[in-house]
Amino acid sequence: MEKKVSALSVRGIYTGYDRADVIEDLSLEVEEGTITCLLGNNGSGKTTVIRSILGLTPPRAGRILFHDADITHLATHKIVRLGLASIPEGRKVFPGLTVEENLRLGGYQEDDKEVLLARMQKVYALFPRLEERSTQLAGTMSGGEQAMVSIGRGLMGAPKLLIIDEPSLGLSPLLVKENFRIIQSIREQNITVFLVEQNVRQTLAISDYGYVLSKGRVVAQGSADTLRDNEEVRQAYFG
Amino acid sequence: MDIGLIAQQTVNGLMLGLIYSLVAVGFTLFFGVLDVIKFSHGDMLTWGVFTAFSVYLGLTLIGLAAPVLILVIVALVAMAAIGFLGAAIAKVLIIPLKGAPPLNTLLITLMLGTVLRESIRLFYPDGANPKHFPALLPDWSHSWGHFTLRFDNALMLLTGLLMIVLVQLVIKRTKLGMAIRAVSQDEETARVMGINFNLVVYVTFAIGSALAAFAGVIYVLYYNELSFNMGLLLGAIGFSAAAVGGFGNIYGAIVGGFLFAMLQSIGAAALPFASAYKDVFAFGVVIVLIAVKPTGILGEKETERV
């Protein structure tokens, strides 16, 4: 059996805005090379977990390690420099920048033009549509195309770990399916994926391990198969 | 009205338009990255001019006699000093106030402007009185009938236009410019891309402030006079130009600057009242324009900024 290496380790964090903690004593591990998911309803604190990891809302207590480096109180751009990228909820493309500029921003940390060009070619191979539209302003594209820009932008940093926040939000079922297929192919490029979703069924179908979040706490965890069969999860999420 | 007079007014209008545009670009850059209006911007221009004047006096004192060389040094030192001051103000006063109501930033910079202005009046030697700034460029000129084109004016216009083109290129073509635009559109996502937000803000404030100093040097070469409160009206005009053009839009700021100068020229030369009313006329039209189109002529459609 392969040796397990932790890509991301969240240890007992408490995070909140102003005074109230949204996340309480939350711990989770993302193993290298896996797709690990965090499931939860609206308001369960998923986004706050991501904000804590990315240093946008640093935790009040607890620690976050990324490949054994303590990133708990690091500035966001320094965390990103270590090899952590994210595809934010709602895609968040830069509407007034062209598709190409959006992609280049994804590789902002990389100064080598050749390397960037090679990565851009890879993204264009994955999404030929983006190459056709490389000079178009991202804000004028359809939701599905913006999702491609956002995913491509996340890949441009050639991250070790990619955090994907609600990729299925606001997309048609067909596009959702397509998105999940792409996430699977990302893992094949040796990028560890931390997937945050509401869409339980499809998420568990491609994940290795999962956590279920409710009211800021982990209420269940296990391999994707176990979670699928877990009675609590079934009742809470599968209806 | 004869052609010569029209040509003379055009050159004058272009010169003023250039100066206003340079000030307005600063306002629009600051608004872009941080959504703030920095009301001390005009007084930064004044500080740039007084820095330039002091450096000029110093260089003359040590016996440097080449006027063009003096001018180059004077302009560069003023831009560097004010650029640095702008970045320092961003770090000490403006970034810490991020997250506070925008009104606080507005008030703080308004007061900072007063402090900058009054400290020149009180502490600069004989600071309360206007001073003469020497013509450092050769006084060659060429006349066509009633129209005289001065070489120094042409050179200043050209340099100023090059500066605007340069800023435009930096914003549109460089990695730094891309980061500035990204921050302007979505600060948080820009951070997540690995952009050092604070650094981008400092650099943006340095660029905007250095442009104000540059505009000040051109202004003082054109009018050959400086005073502690010269930045007040220039700041107000630059602000109006940025507002008319549409905040956050660089092209808008440039268009707004030239538009304001054009209105002043029309008010001074073409309308049947005394030229002292030219500012009243220009600001009046600005009020009407903003009332008709509150987002500015090139107003942002949410997607376009910087």
Side-chain angles (χ1 to χ4, degrees), chain A residues 51 54 56 76-77 80 84 86 88 92 94-97 101 104-111 137 139 153, chain B residues 172-176 178-179 181-183 185-186 188-197 200 302-304:
Chain A
R51 293 184 63 87
L54 288 173
L56 293 170
T76 303
H77 66 274
V80 172
L84 202 157
S86 82
K92 299 277 172 64
F94 295 102
L97 301 188
E101 285 173 328
R104 295 231 311 262
L105 277 166
Y108 188 77
Q109 302 280 355
E110 180 60 59
D111 281 322
L137 293 186
R153 193 177 60 180
Chain B
K172 292 289 175 199
R173 294 283 158 81
T174 65
K175 192 171 173 180
L176 170 70
M178 195 165 72
R181 282 182 293 146
V183 166
Q185 289 180 25
D186 185 341
E188 197 152 84
T189 308
R191 283 178 197 262
V192 173
M193 295 299 116
I195 292 171
N196 184 341
F197 172 75
V200 167
E302 265 313 301
T303 58
E304 185 115 29

Side-chain angles (χ1 to χ4, degrees), chain A residues 75-115:
Chain A
T76 303
H77 66 274
K78 290 184 181 157
I79 295 174
V80 172
R81 195 173 298 159
L82 293 174
L84 202 157
S86 82
I87 298 173
E89 182 187 346
R91 302 177 281 281
K92 299 277 172 64
V93 298
F94 295 102
L97 301 188
T98 64
V99 170
E100 191 186 319
E101 285 173 328
N102 267 279
L103 293 179
R104 295 231 311 262
L105 277 166
Y108 188 77
Q109 302 280 355
E110 180 60 59
D111 281 322
D112 190 329
K113 286 195 173 129
E114 305 269 308
V115 174

